[in-house]
Amino acid sequence: MSLEQRGSFAGRLTAARERLFVGRAVEQALFRGALDERPGAAPVHYLHGPGGIGKSALLRRFAQEARRAGRLVVEVDGRTVPPTPEDFTAAAKDAVSEPGAVLLVDTFEHCQGLEGWLWEQFLPGMPVGVVVVVAGRVPPDARWVSDPGWADLLNVVALRNLTPGEALAFLTARGVPAARHEALLRFTGGNPLALALAASVAVDAGDPGSTATDANGPMPDWSPSQDVIAMLLSQLIGEPAPSDNHRKALEICAHAHVTSESLLRALLGEQAPELFAWLRAQPYVESTALGLFPHDVVRETLVADLRWRDPEGFAVLHKKLHQHLFEQLRAAPSVHLLPATGALLYLYRTDGYMAEFHDWNQAGLVYDGPCLPSDEARVVDLVAEAEGPESAAVARYWLDQQPEAFRVYRSTRTDEIIGCSAWLRLTDQRGCDLDPVVAAAWEHARAHEPLRANEYLAVARFTVCPQTYQRPAPATTLAQWRVMGEIYRADRLAWHFVVMRDDGFWDDHLTHFDMPPTPTAVVVGGHAYRLFAHDWRAQPVISWLAARTDVILAGGKGPVEAAGDPAVRQVPELAVLSRPEFDTAVRNALRALRRPEALAANPLSRSRLVRQNGGDLGDVLSRVVETLPRERGGDKRYRALVTTYLKGVPTQEAAAERLDLPFSTYRRHLTSAVERVAELLWQHELSGTPLPAPEPPSR
């Protein structure tokens, strides 16, 4: 009678482990090949991976396989064996003396100092037919992997997270309700330990106020408890960071999409090379061409822990990182626009809408490039396939007018063009007679806030990938990144419009990001399209991003939930003034410099210019006035303006007398000064660039 039949705990434990084990098919096949002594099968296996990746569970599986095959199994745990050759040999002695034995060594990182001895002396002395599996957090020394003598004897496997399908099977086997699967998969990234801990707390009864449901009714939103986070931190990361700066580097690595040495230098100073090298050596950190990133569950655990443990520190880190990445994006050359935009948008990944429509992991399946003349026929064909011949004719027109506006998206596997998009920059109404979408964009702008001199509107048009037309996909993600990157870097952009098929799919997403749909659909080739609009003069990029940051720091709430939260900034719509209105407002503001109530009522107080420069109209005017003496001939303007509006003279005649000037000369200087102040302010209003820092005038 078996142990399980006799009802022993050991038997039940073994049965449960077998029933709940999922994945690792490749690793099991390699081990079975070694057990069966198949030709070419390596007898020594080295498994490595971070804590919680499932090394111990896989070794238990191997032990069961070996015992069923009639092999003697010898298990050595590096945590309990003193790291000396004598003690290790004593623990493994039965495997050394028994041909055909299976030696399983777990947590070898505790015996890592024995690695040279293991390869040079211990393993070469093993009898033929023995199978050895060594598992630890640290990869084997490159000397042994590259040693030609070990080439046919050693198989090195870096254990990874479970695949999405395997992770789903894991949760299902443990009875986790389907309504919670997505949240758990997103948090754990398929890490077995994290899945097991999360599953153990995710099967509790539901909350009647929840929006998530399963067959048993409403369920509460799932998030990891602090007990789960504490357990994961100890198991996944192990020893505490060596110093405060090492800990901060780890937190930056968790928060940023990828971490480079230059990013660490910008945030932590000249210790960056040492910190980068330390991060790179951690078993839960991986490398890409752009830098370092932690495994998903390590990332999410570190972020959740910092957010709970030090919310102020979390906010400071987020804002510092955001400012650095925004400046990087603004300064990046065009070829680096998409990675710079993706890195900035990654800070907003906890916003539910962002996560639903942007996939940073899948973005690498395609790459973005300019539309070359040889690509234009393919672009027209793609538009025709997805939207019909009438849209294709419109695309052909814009390819002739603005070929530089088009981008193509190629498969990284086949190099085939699978999608395209266009960012049309429009300063006049050319094309309105051929393109109903562009005509509708101009009509909307005219009806609300028309363009001013030197401004332009932009239309994100022809977002086409026929296989997944206008649904979340790698090409769609890159197209959205390009749109946002162009907006973040734009000067004098007034309106921008995103054009999507009018099926409601994007309505909530774009409205959430302050790009509501225009009232009327536009029909092209029998298909209805909807324009989603934003006036970047009324809500500029900096204040728009600040509002999004507040939502994230308040817990990633949507606009409805966040509306009642005092921590979430409510951004009032700004005044968009024509040039004549702007000049009038400047003259009135100068006259009201000594009257705060009148200044507060001036429409300039609600302009982008003032809001982006501290929100104090009087201060903005003073800073610009103080620049006049630094210009050629500006001293005369400066004295006329200051005497008239800041020194409290009762009349302009009295001002002329105080300046000892003929009235006509004084009037000429004052008029020139007001016009110059208005011009300087207007340029900053259009461009959105900040005013220079105040300096004392040289006079």
Side-chain angles (χ1 to χ4, degrees):
M1 180 180 292
S2 70
L3 288 173
E4 183 180 1
Q5 288 172 324
R6 292 201 304 268
S8 74
F9 287 162
R12 295 173 63 183
L13 185 62
T14 299
R17 284 172 173 167
E18 287 196 18
R19 178 173 54 85
L20 297 176
F21 188 90
V22 299
R24 309 305 187 200
V26 171
E27 291 82 358
Q28 291 186 81
L30 291 171
F31 181 72
R32 288 178 190 132
L35 282 183
D36 297 342
E37 300 184 70
R38 295 173 193 162
V44 179
H45 299 254
Y46 193 109
L47 310 177
H48 66 91
I53 204 67
K55 300 183 293 296
S56 297
L58 185 56
L59 288 185
R60 284 195 296 268
R61 185 76 166 187
F62 287 170
Q64 293 168 18
E65 291 272 346
R67 289 187 179 106
R68 288 195 186 103
R71 300 275 195 127
L72 170 68
V73 176
V74 178
E75 298 176 89
V76 176
D77 191 333
R79 292 171 297 185
T80 60
V81 175
T84 67
E86 296 76 17
D87 288 298
F88 190 96
T89 301
K93 65 180 187 304
D94 290 344
V96 175
S97 59
E98 177 75 23
V102 173
L103 173 62
L104 304 177
V105 182
D106 199 4
T107 58
F108 185 67
E109 67 270 12
H110 290 279
C111 300
Q112 207 71 40
L114 298 178
E115 185 175 9
W117 168 81
L118 184 80
W119 296 113
E120 292 177 335
Q121 299 184 40
F122 181 79
L123 291 178
M126 299 296 287
V128 173
V130 168
V131 177
V132 179
V133 183
V134 179
R137 295 191 177 194
V138 182
D141 191 301
R143 289 175 296 173
W144 317 122
V145 177
S146 60
D147 185 337
W150 281 104
D152 296 329
L153 301 174
L154 173 64
N155 183 57
V156 178
V157 177
L159 282 186
R160 303 293 183 182
N161 288 338
L162 299 178
T163 68
E166 291 167 347
L168 186 62
F170 186 107
L171 295 176
T172 302
R174 283 158 175 76
V176 176
R180 290 186 177 145
H181 286 176
E182 183 179 354
L184 268 67
L185 293 175
R186 186 168 58 247
F187 173 77
T188 64
N191 178 277
L193 173 63
L195 281 166
L197 290 175
S200 69
V201 298
V203 293
D204 296 335
D207 165 311
S210 168
T211 55
T213 60
D214 71 352
N216 299 316
M219 305 189 66
D221 294 337
W222 183 88
S223 61
S225 68
Q226 290 309 314
D227 289 341
V228 168
I229 290 172
M231 176 72 75
L232 289 173
L233 283 173
S234 66
Q235 295 295 319
L236 301 179
I237 297 174
E239 294 297 322
S243 72
D244 284 347
N245 269 357
H246 286 79
R247 176 181 53 79
K248 290 176 183 176
L250 190 54
E251 291 167 353
I252 290 169
C253 191
H255 210 65
H257 185 215
V258 292
T259 298
S260 64
E261 191 174 303
S262 61
L263 176 61
L264 293 178
R265 183 178 296 108
L267 272 63
L268 296 178
E270 294 308 312
Q271 198 184 354
E274 174 193 339
L275 299 173
F276 187 84
W278 176 77
L279 284 174
R280 193 176 189 177
Q282 302 310 304
Y284 47 80
V285 173
E286 297 198 22
S287 302
T288 70
L290 298 176
L292 307 175
F293 68 94
H295 292 178
D296 288 346
V297 68
V298 174
R299 181 194 295 281
E300 298 305 330
T301 301
L302 285 167
V303 169
D305 177 65
L306 177 61
R307 193 164 196 157
W308 167 77
R309 173 172 49 81
D310 184 7
E312 292 81 9
F314 177 85
V316 168
L317 172 60
H318 181 95
K319 290 178 179 179
K320 285 177 64 176
L321 190 56
H322 183 280
Q323 182 64 27
H324 174 77
L325 293 176
F326 183 73
E327 291 170 359
Q328 291 284 95
L329 189 158
R330 292 277 297 179
S334 296
V335 293
H336 295 151
L337 175 61
L338 286 193
T341 304
L344 181 65
L345 293 178
Y346 191 74
L347 299 184
Y348 299 95
R349 67 190 182 279
T350 55
D351 182 312
Y353 285 93
M354 185 71 76
E356 287 175 6
F357 293 93
H358 297 255
D359 191 334
W360 286 264
N361 294 328
Q362 296 290 319
L365 297 177
V366 298
Y367 68 95
D368 163 284
C371 179
L372 304 175
S374 57
D375 300 329
E376 292 182 0
R378 174 61 175 161
V379 168
V380 173
D381 288 344
L382 286 171
V383 176
E385 181 182 349
E387 299 185 349
E390 189 172 333
S391 278
V394 176
R396 179 71 267 175
Y397 169 80
W398 287 117
L399 279 164
D400 293 337
Q401 295 293 314
Q402 295 189 31
E404 72 283 356
F406 284 78
R407 307 295 295 186
V408 295
Y409 304 104
R410 298 178 184 271
S411 166
T412 53
R413 184 174 60 86
T414 66
D415 213 39
E416 175 191 3
I417 295 175
I418 61 172
C420 62
S421 66
W423 177 252
L424 304 174
R425 291 169 55 107
L426 306 171
T427 57
D428 57 46
Q429 298 185 45
R430 188 178 313 166
C432 286
D433 55 336
L434 294 171
D435 188 349
V437 167
V438 167
W442 279 108
E443 181 180 350
H444 183 88
R446 285 195 306 270
H448 292 80
E449 293 291 349
L451 271 64
R452 305 174 297 195
N454 299 319
E455 293 180 335
Y456 69 96
L457 65 78
V459 181
R461 191 90 165 84
F462 307 116
T463 303
V464 166
C465 182
Q467 292 181 340
T468 56
Y469 180 66
Q470 293 191 352
R471 292 296 184 263
T476 310
T477 293
L478 294 189
Q480 291 189 76
W481 289 4
R482 179 155 294 277
V483 167
M484 298 315 301
E486 295 285 359
I487 290 169
Y488 295 156
R489 293 154 63 97
D491 290 329
R492 304 193 177 188
L493 171 62
W495 288 93
H496 110 266
F497 298 87
V498 173
V499 183
M500 292 292 182
R501 187 69 62 82
D502 189 28
D503 56 10
F505 184 83
W506 291 95
D507 289 16
D508 289 344
H509 173 77
L510 291 170
T511 300
H512 174 77
F513 292 107
D514 302 311
M515 301 170 197
T518 56
T520 306
V522 181
V523 177
V524 182
H527 297 297
Y529 297 88
R530 184 71 60 173
L531 278 69
F532 298 82
H534 188 94
D535 184 349
W536 292 102
R537 303 161 302 178
Q539 190 184 26
V541 165
I542 292 175
S543 60
W544 182 82
L545 285 172
R548 303 257 60 83
T549 295
D550 285 344
V551 169
I552 293 298
L553 296 180
K557 302 171 185 175
V560 175
E561 294 88 344
D565 192 327
V568 179
R569 179 187 294 114
Q570 301 300 309
V571 181
E573 191 167 288
L574 304 189
V576 180
L577 305 176
S578 66
R579 182 61 192 266
E581 293 170 334
F582 190 91
D583 289 348
T584 298
V586 171
R587 287 193 296 271
N588 291 338
L590 289 169
R591 294 180 185 128
L593 273 172
R594 295 165 60 86
R595 293 181 288 127
E597 299 83 1
L599 274 182
N602 190 294
L604 281 180
S605 294
R606 295 181 289 109
S607 67
R608 171 169 70 173
L609 164 76
V610 173
R611 289 286 167 79
Q612 291 193 169
N613 285 280
D616 186 323
L617 175 54
D619 177 66
V620 167
L621 289 170
S622 297
R623 286 165 63 184
V624 172
V625 168
E626 291 296 330
T627 67
L628 294 180
R630 299 198 288 271
E631 300 181 340
R632 184 176 180 181
D635 192 61
K636 296 175 181 178
R637 300 190 191 107
Y638 175 81
R639 287 188 288 111
L641 196 148
V642 168
T643 302
T644 304
Y645 297 124
L646 291 174
K647 293 192 175 177
V649 294
T651 64
Q652 291 190 356
E653 288 79 2
E657 183 177 346
R658 179 175 294 187
L659 290 168
D660 195 22
L661 292 173
F663 187 71
S664 60
T665 303
Y666 155 78
R667 286 284 298 171
R668 186 170 67 254
H669 292 172
L670 179 63
T671 300
S672 176
V674 173
E675 290 175 350
R676 182 57 181 159
V677 168
E679 176 62 24
L680 291 171
L681 292 171
W682 179 250
Q683 294 305 318
H684 285 286
E685 166 72 10
L686 287 182
S687 67
T689 56
L691 292 171
E695 295 180 13
S698 56
R699 60 183 188 280

